Amino acid sequence: MRASFYAALAFCGRMLSPIILVPAVLNGLLTGAVYALVALGLTLIYGVLHIINFAHGALFSAALFAAFFAYRLLGLDPYIAAILLTPVFFLLGYGLQRFVIGPAAHGEDRNILLVTLGLAVVIENTLLYAFRADTRTVNLDYAFNVIDIGVAFLSVPRVIAFGVALVVALVLWLILTLTDTGKAMRAVAKEKLGAELVGIDVVHIYAVTFGLGTACLAIAACLLLPTYYVNPHVGNAFVLVAFTIVVLGGMGSVTGSLLGGMFVGVVESLSGLYLGESLGQIGIFVMFILVLLFRPSGLFGERA
Amino acid sequence: MKGITVPWILTIVAALATLPLLTASNVVLNFLIVTLLIALVAQGWNVLGGYGGQYSFGHAAFFGTGAYVTAIMQMRYGVNAWAAFAVGIGGGALVGAIIGALTFRSGLRGSYFALVTLAFAEVLRILASVAPLTGAGVGILIALDLRPQAFQFQSRAPFYWIILALVGVSLVVVRMIEQSRFGAWLVAVRENEDAAKALGVNPTRVKFAAMTVSAAITAAGGAFYAQYYLFIDSGIAYGSWISVEALLAPIVGGVGTVLGPLLGALVVKALGELTKLVTGDTPGLDLVVYGGVLILIVAFAPNGITGLLTNLRGHFMRLRARALGRSDG
Amino acid sequence: MTQFSRVSRRRFLQSTALIATAATTGLVNAPAVLRAQGAPVKLGVLHPVSGALSYSGQQGRLGATIAIEEINAAGGIKALGGAKIDAVLGDAQSTPEGGNAEVEKMNSAGVAAIVGGYASSICLAASQTAARYDLPYVVDVGVADNIVTRGLKNTFRFGPGFGVIAKTALDNLVALNDQAGKPAKTVMIVHEDSLFGSGLAKLLNAQLPERGFNVLETMPHPTPTRDFNNVVLKIKAANPDIVIPADYYNEYVLLARTMQQQRVRPKAIYSVLGGAASSYKFVKEFPEAAQYIMDCNHWFDPRNPKALALRKKVEAQGQFYTYEVYMNYSGVLLVADALQRAGSAERAKITAALESSTFSGHVMPYGPTKFVNGQNTGAAPANTQVLGNDIQVILPSTFATAKPVFPMPA
């Protein structure tokens, strides 16, 4: 008994060494960037429409399938496919909000919940029905390339994903701050009635926001595909983490999502390191609870 | 709308109680047991979400606690199954009280509240998946012992009557809340928390009480699940599936009403069966139809089934009034 | 899709349970046969074909339905007058409640027996419900030991439980290690944290030290796990001789790919119930990551021509030949044999026939069947290794198709 205790202590001591710690933190940052991209869509949708989008996970699965088939059928490398899929998914998201969610929900929050829930079931099972449950993967030559920075091997696709996530966040931020649509989105987010009164087409803005959120998923899917896999249930694994990031970063905050995503990635990585992958998952949620109890508007959000 | 009275509730329950005498089909009985179980869990959610306006995404936390406490009491400490059931309810209520105390004191509302309940449920699930007490990944199997003393029965009917009784109690409890001052406070907090505060209601205490009652009711469902299926693990007990079921049924049935969760559970479960029947054996197709119909239900019954019934009643009354009016002229 | 629609669209009638499907009597059109063909025997085929376990469920259903088609094509159950087997398909929806509800429906539909379940949690609930009606239940895969220790007379498991699997895996590991001059001493276990992974890890942790191995660390992880970089980091730092993974397919693939990416190469990757380690799909899609990986898992008898014919059939349909397929195939054949020997579709007689079964017409390397308290005592896993882009059996030597390569070349 005592021997195993000392062994455990020695092991912990070993884990604090930079050989493990630095790569773990870097891993967390890289993973966090993809989480951030998924969360970006969610935070936009929450920030403007004030709805929790239950269909986000299923839409992510759909995006992964789209990226997969773009490769399989059209021979498009995922990074190129992103250029094609982003507008496609934007339109998909726009359509869903404008013609399904909006009309069905009659503006009631709880109904939006149910509608997005129903959508999630429909999308996931349509994928199951159409494509069966087999796990699909793409085996790209560069998927196993690594950049050796001495302290760690960084996987090339994940570094690319990190970079693109930063770019997307920047682009979104620019859209929100500089364009008219962006300003309209922010107006609707802050004060829907006022925005309507000054002539903003709220229905259209809602749809645009949902579309942007879904487009983010398409990009995230293309970035993830080289190192992950596709099946109808795959998106569900990311949703909870995405929700956590949205709240942590402050609902509606693009910067919050990006930084929150990386923060969550690092927390997940370190708690997985110290507590094991199973118990380590608790790290994100405990942190989430603590932040909410002491700073409900999130790390970067405005006071509720 | 006055709402449904206790005599009516008892009549409905009595009528439902005769079912095992009318049908020998275990398929039907099992279907109803599962539906009533969901109705019970949903009714718990309804107290906090429907009447209190605090939507929880983590009712699995109470369901799972009820299930695990019952199972652990029996298997690890040899406690009698019925006593373990009671302790399970108590355990769930305790967890509800703790979560309520933490969250309401911080003033969390709306979506923040919903997501923090989700986080609590997840924390419990993860802990249950690694802790030796809950059997970690292997879960807990309650020993097969088909005697009434062990809260297990050879036939399905006793299970049916027990869950029906539990649902009946929950209906009466909710009706009593509806009629009481506490209920009025709860609804006031739901409608406008700040105004309620100004009128002298203590929102934190009211929400806390609602959460505890809500948790107890849902925990009863969890404990019953453990006795009915005899096997639980962290995914079954604390998984998001039950959190979703807990809110789906009341919203479909009509939040903030006594019968809403029961009606909602019936509709949702029946829909599931119907879609399976209609679409055959192809995997996934039945659920596609199910999801689609769910969206349609929301589109056409935005206030749930009870809302629909109220509307229909209103239409009927107006038609009747018009007909009566015409007969004069 | 034709596969499923061909088998049974009469589910509507069966589900309402109002119509006792009348005997399809009628004289067979061959002049020599004058007896009426026997009424079809209904067989419940239960799998999680939707939900998280849908792939395995669909593969299981495939194996079962192929077996039923073959039996019917060969003239049905002779002892019942050539009665065909009617499959009553059920979707357990990857939950015990789903499995339970389906068993009730199957019972109502008058099935003679049920095969399947796949996941241990589903098997536990389903077999228990079946026991209420003395309905024979043949577990296809579910490895939890407690499935057969509840004293239920109706439950039979054709394949091994994880007690036997762990012991066999360790026996074989010791044998391989000894044979190679004991190059391996330290071990790290990576396992999924639900029933089969945790149960297996517990047994391995107890038995490995007794066999002279040092377990450096045991790393549980959830299903699904999005990223294995930290797990691989720890493996890299601790540098064990052997890594033992016990996972489902997706996680195993991620783990293997991450190890390849991080250039982590222990002396051996020795899986026990490794989800992808003995999967043709994995070998086909990631040949470099799969090379030399060993697995102690369910495997068919490579010398059995029936097994090879089944493989051709399955691959011709564009599917992979996975363990769910041939274990369900064997399970159905087992039940058909019991029906034949019982000469009746009565549940009690089928249960008795199963209890005394010595069936050897299956495709598994188990020898003749022998059930003791519901467990087939001959059932055991086999050791495989990925060699030259194919999966070879390396142990037991009676079935081996290749010599093991241990340790892995650097």
Side-chain angles (χ1 to χ4, degrees):
Chain A
M1 209 51 239
R2 198 172 291 171
S4 47
F5 174 68
Y6 285 130
L9 244 142
F11 199 80
C12 280
R14 218 188 316 164
M15 271 200 288
L16 287 165
S17 82
I19 301 180
I20 297 198
L21 210 57
V22 171
V25 170
L26 289 173
N27 275 332
L29 285 172
L30 293 182
T31 320
V34 178
Y35 290 166
L37 210 45
V38 176
L40 262 174
L42 209 55
T43 204
L44 270 182
I45 293 173
Y46 186 81
V48 176
L49 288 89
H50 299 290
I51 67 173
I52 294 185
N53 179 18
F54 268 133
H56 214 64
L59 284 167
F60 191 42
S61 307
L64 277 163
F65 266 106
F68 172 77
F69 282 117
Y71 178 77
R72 205 27 80 83
L73 300 175
L74 302 174
L76 288 176
D77 179 274
Y79 299 128
I80 315 253
I83 303 176
L84 167 65
L85 290 176
T86 308
V88 168
F89 271 76
F90 174 82
L91 289 171
L92 175 66
Y94 186 97
L96 275 177
Q97 168 57 30
R98 181 132 198 184
F99 303 118
V100 179
I101 302 176
H106 305 282
E108 275 274 15
D109 272 359
R110 60 160 182 269
N111 290 341
I112 299 177
L113 221 81
L114 271 203
V115 173
T116 53
L117 199 63
L119 258 182
V121 171
V122 170
I123 296 174
E124 181 172 322
N125 287 284
T126 307
L127 293 172
L128 177 64
Y129 173 65
F131 305 124
R132 281 183 55 107
D134 314 32
T135 295
R136 323 284 179 113
T137 46
V138 300
N139 198 1
L140 299 157
D141 333 296
Y142 59 78
F144 288 107
N145 290 354
V146 287
I147 304 173
D148 186 349
I149 58 167
V151 289
F153 285 158
L154 297 180
S155 139
V156 165
R158 298 177 80 217
V159 172
I160 297 180
F162 184 84
V164 174
L166 288 177
V167 170
V168 170
L170 182 64
V171 167
L172 269 177
W173 184 84
L174 287 172
I175 292 179
L176 281 177
T177 348
L178 299 178
T179 66
D180 281 343
T181 317
K183 290 185 197 155
M185 281 165 66
R186 282 189 294 141
V188 170
K190 257 221 160 69
E191 178 56 67
K192 175 181 158 208
L193 195 57
E196 266 182 311
L197 288 174
V198 297
I200 294 178
D201 182 352
V202 173
V203 170
H204 171 72
I205 292 294
Y206 274 179
V208 167
T209 311
F210 207 93
L212 279 176
T214 321
C216 285
L217 283 178
I219 303 175
C222 292
L223 294 174
L224 192 61
L225 189 62
T227 52
Y228 207 64
Y229 54 85
V230 187
N231 68 40
H233 318 294
V234 82
N236 298 333
F238 291 85
V239 175
L240 229 48
V241 184
F243 275 137
T244 318
I245 297 170
V246 166
V247 173
L248 270 177
M251 307 216 210
S253 162
V254 169
T255 349
S257 270
L258 189 63
L259 295 173
M262 293 198 273
F263 181 59
V264 163
V266 172
V267 168
E268 186 187 42
S269 187
L270 290 177
S271 41
L273 203 58
Y274 286 103
L275 299 172
E277 292 295 312
S278 289
L279 187 56
Q281 289 292 297
I282 225 174
I284 317 174
F285 296 109
V286 167
M287 183 197 47
F288 178 79
I289 292 173
L290 289 173
V291 169
L292 275 188
L293 290 182
F294 295 111
R295 204 190 145 86
S297 50
L299 297 170
F300 305 100
E302 299 163 15
R303 286 254 156 231
Chain B
M1 170 104 163
K2 242 186 337 149
I4 190 144
T5 58
V6 173
W8 269 113
I9 294 176
L10 295 174
T11 317
I12 295 176
V13 170
L16 286 174
T18 59
L19 259 152
L21 309 170
L22 299 172
T23 172
S25 167
N26 272 344
V27 176
V28 172
L29 271 184
N30 180 57
F31 169 78
L32 287 172
I33 292 173
V34 173
T35 306
L36 287 171
L37 174 58
I38 299 298
L40 183 64
V41 172
Q43 188 65 282
W45 185 94
N46 191 30
V47 169
L48 185 65
Y51 287 97
Q54 312 300 312
Y55 282 24
S56 145
F57 288 171
H59 255 57
F62 317 126
F63 179 86
T65 304
Y68 267 119
V69 167
T70 284
I72 293 173
M73 286 281 125
Q74 284 177 73
M75 296 314 291
R76 242 171 237 277
Y77 301 109
V79 173
N80 168 270
W82 296 91
F85 186 82
V87 179
I89 298 180
L94 182 64
V95 170
I98 295 174
I99 297 179
L102 287 172
T103 51
F104 295 134
R105 193 141 295 167
S106 305
L108 284 174
R109 305 185 201 177
S111 310
Y112 294 112
F113 172 74
L115 291 175
V116 91
T117 55
L118 182 63
F120 273 113
E122 268 300 290
V123 167
L124 285 172
R125 187 188 62 78
I126 293 167
L127 285 173
S129 78
V130 297
L133 180 67
T134 51
V138 178
I140 302 185
L141 183 68
I142 296 180
L144 195 60
D145 183 5
L146 295 173
R147 299 173 301 138
Q149 301 92 303
F151 204 150
Q152 292 177 38
F153 308 95
Q154 191 65 38
S155 133
R156 294 256 187 245
F159 277 117
Y160 175 79
W161 283 316
I162 291 175
I163 190 69
L164 181 59
L166 288 169
V167 170
V169 167
S170 74
L171 287 170
V172 171
V173 165
V174 173
R175 172 61 182 169
M176 281 167 45
I177 291 178
E178 213 179 41
Q179 299 284 79
S180 70
R181 208 179 319 170
F182 171 68
W185 293 339
L186 195 55
V187 171
V189 166
R190 174 186 82 201
E191 293 302 318
N192 190 329
E193 188 165 327
D194 298 314
K197 205 170 186 176
L199 290 171
V201 177
N202 183 336
T204 312
R205 218 178 277 173
V206 164
K207 287 194 279 188
F208 174 83
M211 172 84 114
T212 313
V213 172
S214 168
I217 297 176
T218 302
F224 181 85
Y225 181 101
Q227 290 303 132
Y228 191 59
Y229 289 102
L230 298 179
F231 175 74
I232 53 170
D233 64 19
S234 60
I236 292 171
Y238 288 120
S240 55
W241 72 277
I242 189 71
S243 293
V244 171
E245 297 260 23
L247 60 83
L248 189 63
I251 297 181
V252 168
V255 296
T257 65
V258 174
L259 286 180
L262 180 58
L263 287 174
L266 275 167
V267 167
V268 164
K269 287 291 162 201
L271 180 63
E273 289 301 310
L274 215 69
T275 51
K276 267 200 270 194
L277 252 120
V278 163
T279 59
D281 296 310
T282 334
L285 198 55
D286 58 328
L287 289 166
V288 174
V289 177
Y290 173 85
V293 175
L294 213 60
I295 297 177
L296 287 174
I297 291 179
V298 172
F300 290 109
N303 286 318
I305 305 287
T306 47
L308 198 66
L309 292 174
T310 318
N311 280 350
L312 287 175
R313 205 179 108 160
H315 278 302
F316 175 68
M317 299 284 228
R318 276 195 293 274
L319 282 172
R320 210 177 74 146
R322 213 177 296 159
L324 289 172
R326 286 266 168 83
S327 67
D328 282 344
Chain C
M1 293 302 143
T2 47
Q3 182 69 32
F4 302 138
S5 51
R6 203 191 312 162
V7 176
S8 180
R9 274 234 146 211
R10 278 171 279 159
R11 236 179 107 47
F12 185 83
L13 298 174
Q14 288 161 355
S15 297
T16 52
L18 289 173
I19 301 174
T21 310
T24 51
T25 48
L27 293 171
V28 178
N29 224 356
V33 180
L34 296 171
R35 278 185 312 175
Q37 192 180 41
V41 178
K42 300 214 190 93
L43 181 64
V45 175
L46 177 66
H47 293 100
V49 293
S50 66
L53 304 169
S54 46
Y55 180 68
S56 294
Q58 290 179 17
Q59 289 294 95
R61 191 186 261 193
L62 180 64
T65 47
I66 289 182
I68 292 174
E69 273 165 28
E70 285 184 3
I71 293 169
N72 288 347
I77 310 286
K78 306 281 189 301
L80 295 174
K84 300 255 192 278
I85 297 185
D86 221 4
V88 178
L89 302 177
D91 177 3
Q93 298 194 320
S94 303
T95 63
E97 311 87 60
N100 184 54
E102 287 301 313
V103 171
E104 291 285 3
K105 287 190 202 154
M106 288 174 176
N107 173 56
S108 255
V111 299
I114 299 182
V115 174
Y118 179 70
S120 294
S121 54
I122 299 176
C123 293
L124 282 169
S127 55
Q128 212 152 266
T129 304
R132 285 173 184 276
Y133 309 113
D134 293 319
L135 184 52
Y137 188 99
V138 174
V139 173
D140 57 343
V141 174
V143 292
D145 281 330
N146 52 16
I147 293 178
V148 289
T149 56
R150 293 169 297 165
L152 291 178
K153 291 261 173 285
N154 71 317
T155 307
F156 298 91
R157 180 164 61 195
F158 186 61
F162 56 47
V164 167
I165 294 174
K167 180 169 183 306
T168 311
L170 286 177
D171 287 342
N172 289 348
L173 179 61
V174 169
L176 285 168
N177 200 25
D178 287 346
Q179 209 174 56
K182 294 207 200 199
K185 186 99 176 95
T186 54
V187 170
M188 269 177 122
I189 305 174
V190 179
H191 69 91
E192 65 91 39
D193 65 7
S194 77
L195 209 153
F196 96 83
S198 302
L200 213 48
K202 206 167 169 187
L203 290 171
L204 290 174
N205 264 305
Q207 295 172 25
L208 274 165
E210 292 168 9
R211 310 292 203 103
F213 290 96
N214 180 13
V215 181
L216 295 178
E217 198 178 350
T218 303
M219 295 188 275
H221 67 79
T223 308
T225 294
R226 294 175 292 271
D227 179 69
F228 276 97
N229 276 291
N230 282 349
V231 170
V232 173
L233 257 175
K234 287 201 250 189
I235 296 176
K236 203 170 182 176
N239 198 17
D241 296 322
I242 303 178
V243 173
I244 300 185
D247 293 303
Y248 286 103
Y249 182 86
N250 295 328
E251 282 65 41
Y252 196 101
V253 171
L254 263 180
L255 174 66
R257 289 176 80 181
T258 312
M259 283 178 74
Q260 184 190 347
Q261 195 167 66
Q262 296 287 323
R263 316 280 190 263
V264 173
R265 229 171 138 70
K267 293 205 175 98
I269 299 179
Y270 186 87
S271 344
V272 182
L273 290 183
S278 45
S279 158
Y280 287 115
K281 185 179 163 76
F282 178 50
V283 174
K284 176 162 173 238
E285 294 180 358
F286 300 104
E288 310 89 37
Q291 267 310 298
Y292 300 119
I293 285 184
M294 289 196 261
D295 196 9
C296 185
N297 208 332
H298 309 292
W299 196 253
F300 61 92
D301 182 349
R303 307 164 310 170
N304 187 330
K306 228 164 151 177
L308 301 171
L310 179 62
R311 180 179 172 182
K312 280 213 174 61
K313 205 175 209 177
V314 168
E315 289 177 350
Q317 288 188 24
Q319 297 306 324
F320 286 99
Y321 195 44
T322 58
Y323 67 95
E324 303 97 340
V325 176
Y326 40 86
M327 288 183 86
N328 275 279
Y329 181 83
S330 301
V332 169
L333 291 182
L334 172 74
V335 173
D337 173 74
L339 279 166
Q340 173 69 19
R341 285 172 36 243
S344 148
E346 257 182 64
R347 294 171 182 179
K349 298 218 173 98
I350 299 176
T351 304
L354 283 168
E355 271 170 19
S356 58
S357 178
T358 53
F359 182 60
S360 47
H362 52 76
V363 299
M364 304 302 287
Y366 300 161
T369 308
K370 182 169 157 65
F371 285 110
V372 172
N373 286 336
Q375 175 63 48
N376 181 9
T377 50
N383 270 53
T384 59
Q385 186 167 26
V386 179
L387 294 166
N389 284 354
D390 196 8
I391 302 177
Q392 308 286 350
V393 177
I394 53 173
L395 283 169
S397 39
T398 31
F399 307 110
T401 51
K403 288 250 172 300
V405 175
F406 180 89
M408 279 203 279

